[in-house]
Amino acid sequence: QVQLQESGPGLVTPSETLSLTCSVSGVSINNSPYYWGWIRQSPGKGLEWIANIHYSGRTFYNPSLRSRVTISVDTSQNQFSLILTSVAATDTAVYFCAREVVPADIPGVYNWFDPWGQGILVTVSS
Amino acid sequence: SYELTQPPSVSVSPGQTARITCSGNELPRHYTYWYQQKPGQAPLLVIYKDTERPSGIPERFSGSSSGTTATLTISGVQAEDEADYYCQSADSSGPSVIFGGGTKLTVL
């Protein structure tokens, strides 16, 4: 079955750059109709979508985070990654990676996420 | 900016029916999806394309949508259904993904 696993540092210093990777197993990122996305959840808060990417390089970003976010894909490693620059305490959150299921008749970013990774807690603190 | 609005909390007794709403001006144009999230866990998809139920999700979970409001209905609520529920749809202006603020379902 399809599984996703986030990895990266659990602690990041304010103003520095956060880098996370999502490793995908059970399906090849390459040559598949899916998009791959990052979603975060601040402690005790709701879900906030960050960005999606297709293996072709097509991307979608949350406009409120766009200036600080880069999403990329490494098909050779079957992974995709997130970079968030100039982090602050408000970026402290559990970061989830997930697969966006894309039916043939609906374009990317309009669809549901399934499955999700278990999430990784990232704390921004000095 | 565009928002999806959910009630912060819903409470029901076991065996009753819980209805969780999600309101948004663009819902007539885009599908709504629903997730269940229990403490310390990742969200789990329970409804997609407004009304479809993924395999493995109990039949007591159903979805509907009319106009600017989508509804997740849990019939015969069980204690194990106590969780946070989030709706998701799309914002055409981005385009981008948007989530509702979440509803905490309490089983009394």
Side-chain angles (χ1 to χ4, degrees):
Chain A
Q1 86 253 31
V2 178
Q3 292 186 315
L4 294 84
Q5 178 69 58
E6 305 88 351
S7 61
L11 180 65
V12 182
T13 303
S15 79
E16 297 296 310
T17 295
L18 165 65
S19 295
L20 296 174
T21 295
C22 182
S23 299
V24 179
S25 61
V27 66
S28 174
I29 284 182
N30 203 6
N31 290 323
S32 71
Y34 306 110
Y35 274 70
W36 306 90
W38 289 98
I39 302 102
R40 71 181 182 179
Q41 186 171 35
S42 299
K45 303 296 185 182
L47 301 169
E48 180 180 32
W49 171 71
I50 302 171
N52 281 14
I53 189 167
H54 186 256
Y55 80 90
S56 64
R58 177 92 161 105
T59 56
F60 294 96
Y61 289 95
N62 184 328
S64 68
L65 297 169
R66 177 63 184 96
S67 62
R68 298 193 293 130
V69 172
T70 301
I71 189 171
S72 61
V73 64
D74 184 345
T75 55
S76 67
Q77 297 293 318
N78 220 40
Q79 297 174 337
F80 62 103
S81 298
L82 175 73
I83 293 177
L84 179 64
T85 62
S86 304
V87 298
T90 51
D91 294 310
T92 293
V94 175
Y95 286 76
F96 297 99
C97 60
R99 179 182 68 173
E100 181 195 356
V101 181
V102 182
D105 58 337
I106 307 175
V109 92
Y110 290 98
N111 307 289
W112 62 98
F113 292 100
D114 182 51
W116 297 54
Q118 66 183 25
I120 182 170
L121 173 61
V122 178
T123 301
V124 179
S125 175
S126 55
Chain B
S1 62
Y2 179 50
E3 294 182 347
L4 295 177
T5 301
Q6 299 181 234
S9 62
V10 168
S11 299
V12 296
S13 299
Q16 290 189 328
T17 296
R19 294 180 179 85
I20 299 172
T21 58
C22 174
S23 299
N25 289 336
E26 292 204 38
L27 291 187
R29 299 166 57 186
H30 302 298
Y31 286 118
T32 303
Y33 313 107
W34 291 93
Y35 302 91
Q36 175 194 69
Q37 186 181 34
K38 295 182 179 180
Q41 297 184 15
L44 174 70
L45 179 75
V46 294
I47 294 291
Y48 66 101
K49 284 190 173 181
D50 291 346
T51 62
E52 301 296 316
R53 191 175 56 250
S55 61
I57 300 301
E59 291 183 5
R60 62 180 181 274
F61 288 86
S62 63
S64 62
S65 187
S66 178
T68 59
T69 300
T71 303
L72 172 68
T73 301
I74 310 172
S75 304
V77 166
Q78 301 182 6
E80 67 195 50
D81 299 330
E82 186 164 285
D84 293 326
Y85 290 85
Y86 293 91
C87 63
Q88 178 216 324
S89 188
D91 180 353
S92 299
S93 65
S96 58
V97 174
I98 185 168
F99 288 97
T103 298
K104 181 176 181 58
L105 175 65
T106 300
V107 182
L108 301 171

